[in-house]
Amino acid sequence: MNTTMTAARPGRQQQHPPSPTITTRASARRVGLIDRLALRLGVALVAWSRRPRELDSRDQLSRQVQREMSTEQRERQTQRLMLQLLPPR
């Protein structure tokens, strides 16, 4: 006997359990004052632990900015030369 024919008989529908209604669902728990304070404290501790250990001097910062600017300028010059010299695609 064919099993597909016996499983799906015409005129019969499969019964599903009733879906939970709003009254039977668990209500949402509200966050209390202590939970909010603990969250704030945790975020503050993480931010504090990720702070830089030593501050960079002005000279180091200015050298870093100059280095980044010169790198960007070289990249722009290279891009311009490539656009001028390479054949179009």
Side-chain angles (χ1 to χ4, degrees):
M1 179 179 256
N2 191 350
T3 58
T4 58
M5 293 300 286
T6 58
R9 292 185 182 166
R12 286 195 167 191
Q13 293 182 354
Q14 190 177 14
Q15 294 181 357
H16 295 287
S19 61
T21 60
I22 295 175
T23 57
T24 61
R25 291 184 183 162
S27 63
R29 193 182 126 210
R30 300 192 60 83
V31 178
L33 177 65
I34 294 174
D35 291 331
R36 283 183 279 163
L37 286 174
L39 178 65
R40 293 238 179 168
L41 177 65
V43 170
L45 285 173
V46 168
W48 180 79
S49 70
R50 293 186 178 190
R51 73 191 189 289
R53 299 290 186 243
E54 57 188 45
L55 296 176
D56 292 334
S57 68
R58 284 187 179 268
D59 293 334
Q60 288 177 333
L61 289 175
S62 65
R63 282 194 299 265
Q64 181 180 357
V65 168
Q66 288 295 328
R67 190 171 37 237
E68 290 173 359
M69 289 174 58
S70 64
T71 302
E72 289 176 5
Q73 184 178 10
R74 277 195 310 272
E75 289 175 355
R76 281 195 306 272
Q77 288 174 347
T78 304
Q79 183 78 23
R80 190 177 310 121
L81 282 173
M82 286 175 59
L83 289 173
Q84 290 174 352
L85 298 176
L86 292 178
R89 291 186 178 186

